[in-house]
Amino acid sequence: MTTGILVLAATPIGDPNDAAPRLAVELTKANVVAAEDTRRLKRLTSALGITPGGSIVSYHEHNEAARTPELVERLTAGERVVVVTDAGMPSVSDPGYRLVVAAVAAGIRVTCVPGPSAVLMALAVSGLPVDRFCFDGFLPRKAGERARQLAELADERRTMVFFEAPHRLDDTLAAMAQAFGAERPAAVCRELTKTYEEVRRGGLAELADWAAEGVRGEITIVVAGAPREVGTVDDALDGIRSRVATGERLKDVCADVASRTGLSKKALYDAAIAARG
């Protein structure tokens, strides 16, 4: 029996003209379209001038667990299932991941229609380093949990990307300033590709003060990674000795210090051995 195919289809994050040509093709030939919001799907297909060829079902965070087995059953029966969310790529901070896992477990082919991405666009326009980055999605809503997660990221040297709701933006930026430092460079990207698109750049504390006045729209935050520590091999020796005295392996400590400072791992190790003598 021929199995179906699961298609994760990226949708525009604002301007419908950004839709990939293949999106319209997939929507018209799908046996079933699973949409996060069927009303938004209707507006999108109207803008694209198309009519979905198959049935349309809702697929969102509140019914994802219950609807996934039904969709897997249709996939194993040979149908083509297209998943769309309100904006961007399904499964990236949106419904879809659960279905992907189930489809892979069932041996069903999974592919996607590439398209607009708020993460990549925000990185590109932020003015911050883009050679290495990480995406952390939405931070916890509770202040204590958010502070703990940010503390874990305080030494992250890659550029970091987050999503946030507009009414929590000022609190989140203030928490980031507390965890990362008031002057850590960042960019708040608002309403990307839409009429009132705005990119606000500055230190975290400055951005938190700006956001306190009230901000609307879809928000993506980009934060610079932690800067390398500056110092010499001699400056690092006391810290290395202290960590080794607590039971850490010298090689591991030297590797960690080298990664954080840019100093030579061999030079640190040799200096620590010489200091023992």
Side-chain angles (χ1 to χ4, degrees), residues 18 39 59 69 74 86 91 103 130 133 139 158 164 178 208 211 222 233 249 267 276-277:
D18 292 334
R39 293 166 300 180
Y59 190 68
R74 298 187 71 159
D86 293 346
S91 82
V130 297
F133 68 91
L139 289 167
R158 295 172 295 179
E164 190 50 280
Q178 181 70 29
V222 186
V233 170
R249 293 178 65 241
R276 283 179 177 176

Side-chain angles (χ1 to χ4, degrees), residues 7-11 83-85 87-97 100 113:
V7 183
L8 306 174
T11 55
V83 179
V84 293
T85 55
M89 181 62 70
S91 82
V92 180
S93 287
D94 274 328
Y97 173 72
V100 171
V113 176

Side-chain angles (χ1 to χ4, degrees), residues 128 150 160 162 169-188 200-212 221-225:
L128 298 172
L150 290 173
M160 297 169 281
F162 305 85
L169 179 61
D170 56 339
D171 287 340
T172 292
L173 290 170
M176 288 178 170
Q178 181 70 29
F180 302 153
E183 301 302 319
R184 179 79 71 91
V188 175
R200 194 90 175 192
R201 304 176 182 88
L204 283 168
E206 174 190 345
L207 290 172
D209 289 341
W210 162 75
I221 306 170
V222 186
V223 183

Side-chain angles (χ1 to χ4, degrees), residues 102-125:
V104 169
I108 294 162
R109 182 187 168 199
V110 180
T111 187
C112 76
V113 176
S117 166
V119 174
L120 296 181
M121 182 174 176
L123 274 168
V125 302

Side-chain angles (χ1 to χ4, degrees), residues 255-269:
D256 178 58
V257 173
S259 70
R260 290 188 289 104
T261 62
L263 297 171
S264 164
K265 180 171 67 175
K266 184 178 186 302
L268 290 167
Y269 183 83

